[in-house]
Amino acid sequence: MSEEKKPALGARDNQITVIRPKKGLSFPNFGEVAAYKDLIWLFAGRDISVKYRQTVLGPLWLIIMPVLSALVSSFVFGGIARIDSSGLPYFVFYFAAFTLWSYFASCVTSTATTFTSNALLFRRVWFPRLVLPISALLSNLFRFAVQFLLLIVILLIFWVCGTDIAPVWGMVWLLPLLVAESALLAMGVGTLLSALTAKYRDLAGLVPIGVDLWKYLTPVVYTASLLSGGVRIFCLINPMGPVIEAFRYIVLGAGGEISVWYLLLSLAETLLIFFLGTVVFHRVERNFVDTV
Amino acid sequence: MKENEMLTLEHVSKEYRTGRIGYGTLKRDLQSWWAKIRKKEDPNRKLTGGWYRKDGTFRALDDVSLSVERGETLGIIGRNGAGKSTLLKLLSRITEPTEGTISFRGRIASMLEVGTGFHPELTGRENIYLNGAILGMSKAEIDKKAADIIDFSECADFIDTPVKRYSSGMLVKLAFSVAAHLDGEILILDEVLAVGDMAFQRKSLEKMLGVARDEGRTVLCVSHNMDTVRSLCRRCIVLEEGRKIFDGDTEEAIALYQALCAERGRG
């Protein structure tokens, strides 16, 4: 290659891109995705800012929604069904688990329709499609952060009022890892679903119902120690099960457990689903526009 | 790839299936898949036989080879359905070729369908950033050009207003300005010069001429407007039914294209 390049354009001149038809399955090019990091942030920022424009309460919704959900659940599961909340007020017991769960759930639902809801954009411009699921993880992470701060405030209020809440300080380092695992799992499940909804549109309507169902198979409104035998094992083989249990245990000092083996199993499942999801997603992204 | 080549296509084809793709329901897809595994005839294909041609495929682009050098402005002309849009889609990576290889240097900045990705709730300025990034610019690059883009768009007074309140003319001008300031080594123009009023069209054309002539970039231009093609391109290819039937001087290419159009008019 010669060096006599136009100064303004020379920088990328040597970078040759080759496009040829690919056969079978392949892994997406994460280097290419990283080159679009600015776009990832812009999409994430758009998601956050657009949502609350022209609403009266604006970002207050970030606080109102989980509190309402926790109040309703406290009434139904704590008040009427009287589920044992390990000696904690049910409101706190639920809120801690729900904070992480709602992060996972919102990542899955917003990723599951990546192809169908962006079909118009995809038909006109190319960019690595994985940019969208990743930016969904980030914009939801912002909401998670707000809700986590809210959780801390709620814990402080309960603590001041005399409730015995003792976070497991020695394990706090595990919390970001649990959040990261939830994000990876959500992306895996979401990309897998988005590949399916691209082809079978009707599945899109089933996603929220499926996620809701999944919530009840996961120890969010109850804790795994209330279960026994096969049901308990089933609940903990579910990759989100041990994650939620550990999260609540660390934050509240009760209402869950840390089982290393189940956590490792969950991590293995997460990586497998993430791998599968991104490969299938990549397969669909290559020719999706020909089928819409 | 040779040293001076910016873009090469080697025997590129794109095949589409005619009729329906898939059967739309999971049950039928599973039936077809199960039949394929047992090496039996696809029950759904038999049922829907009328929708398929003999082999059920259609070549939108058929064995096209092409080489474009640095700084060249190539016109691509042809009748409707000749494969122009398919070619641009392949180049801008929106879809993959069925056969053949495409290689290019640097980045391809595509001005296909100006204004995609504009979000109505965001302001003009926010949309410049979003749109620029969608088209492949980094935030730093857009920072440097934002002032030029706003100036060129003639929308400076409204730049911090959500674009849902823009007139359609303003929207198109803003979108074009973003695309016109793209930084790719190879630039694709698809009929985009026809935006805005006459004054803005002239301004856009001049901008494009400047890009092609003075900045030494490689430009591919698709248009049905022969005046645009004449003023921008020295070399042209003519596509017909997915094949490249001519590659050379613009005037000859235009004459051939006009003959093709006249022939269809008669037939």
Side-chain angles (χ1 to χ4, degrees):
Chain A
M1 307 242 96
S2 80
E3 288 308 314
E4 39 124 58
K5 304 272 147 57
K6 301 272 179 311
L9 301 167
R12 283 181 300 263
D13 253 24
N14 289 331
Q15 192 187 313
I16 296 179
T17 310
V18 176
I19 308 171
R20 55 165 65 92
K22 285 185 214 148
K23 296 259 150 58
L25 298 173
S26 58
F27 214 56
N29 182 347
F30 279 102
E32 222 166 43
V33 179
Y36 276 76
K37 65 175 189 309
D38 289 345
L39 183 58
I40 294 177
W41 286 108
L42 280 164
F43 271 133
R46 180 195 69 175
D47 284 353
I48 295 167
S49 76
V50 162
K51 191 141 194 175
Y52 303 107
R53 289 203 185 175
Q54 290 200 352
T55 58
V56 181
L57 296 175
L60 269 182
W61 281 112
L62 278 174
I63 294 172
I64 298 169
M65 284 311 287
V67 170
L68 272 181
S69 162
L71 281 175
V72 170
S73 294
S74 309
F75 177 66
V76 175
F77 300 109
I80 298 174
R82 301 203 170 279
I83 291 176
D84 178 14
S85 52
S86 316
L88 294 160
Y90 191 86
F91 184 84
V92 179
F93 172 85
Y94 175 80
F95 203 93
F98 180 70
T99 303
L100 185 60
W101 175 263
S102 71
Y103 175 57
F104 172 77
S106 53
C107 287
V108 170
T109 41
S110 53
T111 309
T113 52
T114 303
F115 287 105
T116 40
S117 42
N118 295 292
L120 215 61
L121 187 59
F122 286 5
R123 272 161 70 176
R124 293 169 175 182
V125 206
W126 178 87
F127 54 86
R129 307 310 191 199
L130 272 177
V131 158
L132 283 163
I134 294 172
S135 71
L137 295 187
L138 290 175
S139 62
N140 285 313
L141 191 63
F142 167 76
R143 280 175 213 136
F144 171 79
V146 173
Q147 287 177 11
F148 191 76
L149 286 178
L150 180 63
L151 172 65
I152 293 175
V153 171
I154 289 172
L155 292 186
L156 280 173
I157 293 171
F158 272 87
W159 181 70
V160 168
C161 296
T163 313
D164 186 25
I165 295 168
V168 189
W169 295 110
M171 299 286 242
V172 167
W173 57 271
L174 203 60
L175 291 181
L177 296 182
L178 293 173
V179 177
E181 194 194 322
S182 312
L184 273 190
L185 182 64
M187 186 164 154
V189 174
T191 46
L192 209 55
L193 286 174
S194 70
L196 288 172
T197 55
K199 198 153 186 212
Y200 311 108
R201 299 280 164 103
D202 28 4
L203 283 180
L206 283 176
V207 170
I209 301 169
V211 171
D212 227 31
L213 197 66
W214 194 345
K215 178 180 165 189
Y216 292 106
L217 297 176
T218 307
V220 178
V221 301
Y222 55 87
T223 167
S225 59
L226 296 177
L227 309 172
S228 59
V231 189
R232 180 170 181 275
I233 293 173
F234 180 76
C235 171
L236 290 173
I237 283 179
N238 156 15
M240 263 326 259
V243 173
I244 293 285
E245 283 276 294
F247 188 83
R248 177 155 54 201
Y249 176 70
I250 295 171
V251 173
L252 301 180
E257 60 182 342
I258 294 185
S259 42
V260 178
W261 290 112
Y262 279 121
L263 275 174
L264 286 177
L265 175 67
S266 144
L267 184 64
E269 288 167 329
T270 299
L271 292 177
L272 182 73
I273 293 173
F274 178 79
F275 177 79
L276 251 172
T278 44
V279 166
V280 172
F281 185 90
H282 186 52
R283 179 73 198 84
V284 172
E285 85 174 312
R286 275 157 41 196
N287 280 312
F288 168 69
V289 288
D290 297 343
T291 66
V292 279
Chain B
M1 234 180 149
K2 279 183 219 129
E3 206 176 280
N4 211 26
E5 280 174 339
M6 284 302 279
L7 169 75
T8 56
L9 276 75
E10 291 159 64
H11 308 288
V12 171
S13 297
K14 177 71 184 175
E15 214 164 68
Y16 285 105
R17 279 203 277 165
T18 53
R20 300 175 46 166
I21 298 168
Y23 301 104
T25 69
L26 190 57
K27 186 184 153 208
R28 287 189 163 192
D29 275 2
L30 286 175
Q31 273 177 356
S32 306
W33 173 75
W34 181 233
K36 208 166 120 192
I37 287 196
R38 289 180 302 163
K39 301 219 161 67
K40 291 250 177 79
E41 207 177 331
D42 186 340
N44 292 311
R45 181 163 275 218
K46 211 160 63 188
L47 281 173
T48 58
W51 278 318
Y52 281 84
R53 285 187 198 168
K54 217 178 269 170
D55 62 344
T57 60
F58 156 72
R59 294 211 147 197
L61 218 53
D62 194 358
D63 196 22
V64 173
S65 298
L66 181 67
S67 150
V68 187
E69 293 188 353
R70 192 185 310 277
E72 208 172 8
T73 305
L74 178 78
I76 300 167
I77 54 181
R79 305 191 301 189
N80 285 333
K84 304 185 299 292
S85 302
T86 306
L87 179 61
L88 294 197
K89 268 190 197 159
L90 292 180
L91 291 177
S92 43
R93 302 183 67 178
I94 288 166
T95 181
E96 274 189 354
T98 315
E99 281 161 31
T101 309
I102 300 170
S103 337
F104 58 87
R105 268 181 225 281
R107 282 190 307 188
I108 292 188
S110 167
M111 289 181 58
L112 286 162
E113 319 241 6
V114 165
T116 26
F118 266 29
H119 195 291
E121 296 286 346
L122 297 178
T123 68
R125 192 187 305 276
E126 288 166 325
N127 267 311
I128 289 179
Y129 278 86
L130 186 62
N131 205 225
I134 287 175
L135 294 168
M137 286 201 258
S138 71
K139 191 169 172 297
E141 282 175 300
I142 308 170
D143 279 334
K144 251 184 273 166
K145 299 198 162 173
D148 286 345
I149 294 175
I150 295 169
D151 188 44
F152 192 88
S153 71
E154 303 168 355
C155 297
D157 295 342
F158 305 92
I159 205 65
D160 292 312
T161 308
V163 298
K164 63 181 173 183
R165 308 206 204 289
Y166 279 32
S167 74
S168 49
M170 282 160 70
L171 259 185
V172 182
K173 287 201 272 188
L174 183 65
F176 178 85
S177 311
V178 179
H181 289 81
L182 283 177
D183 231 356
E185 284 72 19
I186 302 170
L187 202 63
I188 295 180
L189 312 177
D190 181 14
E191 219 59 270
V192 286
L193 302 169
V195 302
D197 50 26
M198 264 172 71
F200 192 79
Q201 280 187 27
R202 194 170 311 125
K203 185 166 132 183
S204 322
L205 187 64
E206 268 158 26
K207 169 88 186 160
M208 287 302 105
L209 274 169
V211 166
R213 248 188 341 231
D214 313 329
E215 297 179 27
R217 282 199 254 179
T218 307
V219 180
L220 304 180
C221 167
V222 172
S223 182
H224 285 291
N225 184 339
M226 291 306 129
D227 291 333
T228 309
V229 174
R230 259 189 207 106
S231 52
L232 277 177
C233 318
R234 198 157 297 154
R235 178 184 157 207
C236 265
I237 63 169
V238 181
L239 291 178
E240 174 70 7
E241 290 179 346
R243 292 198 187 81
K244 186 177 88 170
I245 56 167
F246 179 83
D247 186 344
D249 178 67
T250 300
E251 287 306 324
E252 281 175 56
I254 291 176
L256 178 62
Y257 165 71
Q258 277 161 348
L260 280 172
C261 289
E263 187 185 304
R264 183 175 56 174
R266 254 182 277 124

